[in-house]
C-alpha cells in the first residue's frame, strides 16, 4: 500500500506546497516501512520564509484532503500506478553497487527477507483502490506524528498556536 500511496502523493505534495504555496526550497515526501509492519510517511519542508507552525498547518490541510486523490482516481489511472510500481520492483540491479544496496536493505531493514520484493509484487497485484483508501484513513486521519520543528532565531509567531496545535494531537 505504501508504495502506491507515496507514488500518488509525491507530486501533488511537491506541486502544492513547493510550487503553488512556495513554502520552501526543499519539499519532499517519501514512504517507508519501519520494521516489517509500521507504514511511515515522511514529509520534509525546509523554509526560509515560513514559521514551522504555519508549515505544519498547511501540511495538515494537504494530508486531510489527500484521501480525495485516491477516492476520485479512475480505475485506469490506479492500474497504471500499480503496474508502474511493479515494474520498478522487477528491475534488476544495474551495478554491483545497486545490488549491494539491495542486499543491505534486505538484511538490515527487512529482517533478511530476500523474497520481499516478490512478496510486494504479489500483494500489489491483488491490491484494490478500496484497500488504499482504507489505509489512507489509517495513515492520515489517525496518524501518530513525530513532528520536528526548527526555526530561525528571528522568526516570530503566535505562541498560543502551539497550545492549540498540541490540544488537537493524539498522544499514545
Amino acid at each position: 500500500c505504501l508504495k502506491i500511496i507515496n507514488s500518488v502523493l509525491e507530486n501533488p505534495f511537491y506541486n502544492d506546497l513547493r510550487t503553488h504555496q512556495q513554502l520552501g526550497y526543499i519539499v519532499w515526501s517519501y514512504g517507508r516501512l519501519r520494521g516489517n509492519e509500521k507504514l511511515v510517511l515522511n514529509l520534509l519542508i525546509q523554509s526560509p520564509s515560513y514559521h514551522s507552525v504555519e508549515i505544519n498547518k498547511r501540511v495538515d490541510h494537504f494530508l486531510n484532503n489527500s484521501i480525495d486523490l485516491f477516492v476520485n482516481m479512475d480505475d485506469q489511472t490506479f492500474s497504471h500506478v500499480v503496474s508502474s510500481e511493479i515494474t520498478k520492483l522487477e528491475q534488476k540491479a544495474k551495478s554491483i553497487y545497486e545490488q549491494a544496496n539491495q542486499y543491505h536493505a534486505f538484511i538490515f531493514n527487512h529482517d533478511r527477507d530476500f523474497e520481499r520484493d516478490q512478496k510486494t509484487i504479489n500483494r500489489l497485484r491483488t491490491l484494490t483502490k478500496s484497500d488504499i483508501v482504507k489505509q489512507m484513513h489509517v495513515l492520515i486521519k489517525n496518524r501518530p506524528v513525530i513532528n520536528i520543528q526548527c526555526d530561525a532565531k528571528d522568526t516570530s509567531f503566535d505562541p498560543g498556536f502551539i497550545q492549540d496545535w498540541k490540544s488537537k494531537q493524539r498522544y499514545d
Side-chain angles (χ1 to χ4, degrees):
C1 281
L2 188 60
K3 286 195 167 296
I4 304 303
I5 291 169
N6 186 59
S7 179
V8 171
L9 289 184
E10 187 175 23
N11 285 334
F13 183 76
Y14 181 86
N15 287 335
D16 184 19
L17 299 172
R18 167 71 169 95
T19 306
H20 295 124
Q21 296 187 41
Q22 298 183 350
L23 288 186
Y25 294 106
I26 298 174
V27 175
W28 187 34
S29 70
Y30 59 99
R32 66 185 179 94
L33 192 62
R34 185 174 176 198
N36 274 334
E37 74 241 12
K38 194 78 138 169
L39 299 176
V40 178
L41 184 61
N42 296 287
L43 307 169
L44 173 69
I45 298 174
Q46 181 179 345
S47 176
S49 309
Y50 290 89
H51 190 276
S52 59
V53 174
E54 179 63 24
I55 291 170
N56 195 65
K57 268 201 250 183
R58 294 181 189 208
V59 167
D60 279 348
H61 183 263
F62 173 85
L63 289 175
N64 289 330
N65 292 316
S66 66
I67 292 173
D68 292 341
L69 292 170
F70 297 93
V71 170
N72 298 328
M73 183 183 293
D74 62 77
D75 292 338
Q76 183 178 3
T77 302
F78 181 76
S79 293
H80 176 73
V81 170
V82 170
S83 63
S84 175
E85 290 303 314
I86 289 172
T87 299
K88 289 177 193 175
L89 287 168
E90 290 175 333
Q91 287 181 344
K92 301 294 180 200
K94 294 177 179 71
S95 69
I96 293 172
Y97 177 77
E98 281 184 22
Q99 186 67 57
N101 280 338
Q102 286 177 353
Y103 286 144
H104 183 273
F106 290 141
I107 293 167
F108 294 103
N109 299 338
H110 308 297
D111 293 332
R112 297 170 301 285
D113 184 359
F114 292 94
E115 301 299 318
R116 182 177 181 274
D117 285 353
Q118 188 57 52
K119 290 176 184 175
T120 302
I121 290 168
N122 294 342
R123 176 63 180 120
L124 285 172
R125 288 190 172 127
T126 63
L127 197 62
T128 66
K129 195 168 74 164
S130 174
D131 295 332
I132 296 293
V133 170
K134 287 177 191 170
Q135 190 62 51
M136 282 296 295
H137 281 287
V138 171
L139 273 175
I140 306 304
K141 297 294 185 188
N142 302 315
R143 70 189 187 275
V145 174
I146 296 175
N147 191 332
I148 300 169
Q149 300 178 359
C150 301
D151 294 298
K153 67 178 180 177
D154 295 332
T155 307
S156 64
F157 71 102
D158 174 14
F161 179 79
I162 290 180
Q163 290 305 318
D164 182 52
W165 178 80
K166 284 182 178 181
S167 71
K168 294 177 184 173
Q169 303 309 306
R170 189 189 78 193
Y171 298 95
D172 293 331

